[in-house]
Amino acid sequence: LIKAPSGGGAWTLIQTLTSDGSDASLSFTSGIDSTYDEYVFLFNNIHPETGGYFLFNGSTDGGSNYDVTTTSTYFVAGHREDDSSTYFQYDGGNDVAQGTDILLSYYLDTANDASMSGYLHLYEPSSTTFVKNFMFCGNTMRGASSAQSNNTFVGGYLNSTSAVDAIQFKMASDEIQGGSISMYGIG
């Protein structure tokens, strides 16, 4: 399990969602309100059914729609197990420019040992004055013939001055086959 670090305010566990192996998405539809100015989502060994990218978006209507317009930026660092390739680069193809479904992970494949773990900070989601800034850092282990570590750094904002009261995580093209997500309030 990922443990919450000490310092920077108390971390209060609000909810943990664990995939049962057939989840189209994992959604937090309660607990996101004005109680905390910062929320952190911890991802532990997210594994896809058939491979793909891990995404998120917010809702301003309690989870009826996850379509908050977003702008984000995406960087990735990678290193292959056989040491044949290393890189650190801005990846404009994975940015979002006033769109939805924010890409968080590098490509996840279905090798038994492949997964993604990391964290997402979301700031003041209940504000009705400002956009909702977020920062993500996560590591994806790709298996099979391209065994490598890919560390992604994503930052941006949910471009709404309405309160964001629900967050959804999903794979771009299939189901979440395993892993858990824990939501903490920081205060």
Side-chain angles (χ1 to χ4, degrees):
L1 290 175
I2 297 173
K3 303 275 185 197
S6 62
W11 287 57
T12 303
L13 177 62
I14 298 169
Q15 184 178 17
T16 297
L17 302 176
T18 301
S19 173
D20 67 3
S22 63
D23 297 295
S25 63
L26 293 174
S27 301
F28 293 87
T29 57
S30 63
I32 302 173
D33 54 33
S34 62
T35 303
Y36 300 99
D37 288 337
E38 179 183 0
Y39 290 81
V40 176
F41 298 87
L42 296 180
F43 309 97
N44 190 15
N45 290 324
I46 302 298
H47 184 78
E49 180 184 28
T50 61
Y53 296 91
F54 190 61
L55 313 169
F56 96 99
N57 202 333
S59 173
T60 59
D61 58 12
S64 294
N65 297 286
Y66 291 95
D67 58 1
V68 178
T69 303
T70 301
T71 296
S72 69
T73 185
Y74 186 99
F75 287 81
V76 63
H79 190 181
R80 285 184 175 241
E81 285 181 6
D82 65 7
D83 206 22
S84 64
S85 174
T86 61
Y87 52 90
F88 178 73
Q89 64 192 31
Y90 164 69
D91 187 345
N94 288 327
D95 282 353
V96 176
Q98 289 302 94
T100 57
D101 288 337
I102 303 98
L103 182 92
L104 296 178
S105 75
Y106 204 71
Y107 185 83
L108 283 156
D109 67 27
T110 58
N112 289 338
D113 61 349
S115 67
M116 186 279 298
S117 295
Y119 55 88
L120 171 78
H121 289 258
L122 177 63
Y123 300 95
E124 292 199 68
S126 63
S127 172
T128 56
T129 303
F130 300 108
V131 299
K132 299 4 168 216
N133 292 292
F134 66 86
M135 295 184 305
F136 170 81
C137 181
N139 195 77
T140 302
M141 185 285 184
R142 285 186 68 179
S145 62
S146 62
Q148 60 186 305
S149 171
N150 293 106
N151 196 224
T152 53
F153 307 90
V154 182
Y157 54 89
L158 300 170
N159 195 7
S160 175
T161 56
S162 296
V164 170
D165 56 8
I167 298 289
Q168 181 180 74
F169 299 95
K170 65 182 181 179
M171 298 304 300
S173 60
D174 67 357
E175 295 179 343
I176 301 170
Q177 188 179 51
S180 64
I181 306 171
S182 296
M183 180 175 69
Y184 291 84
I186 310 298

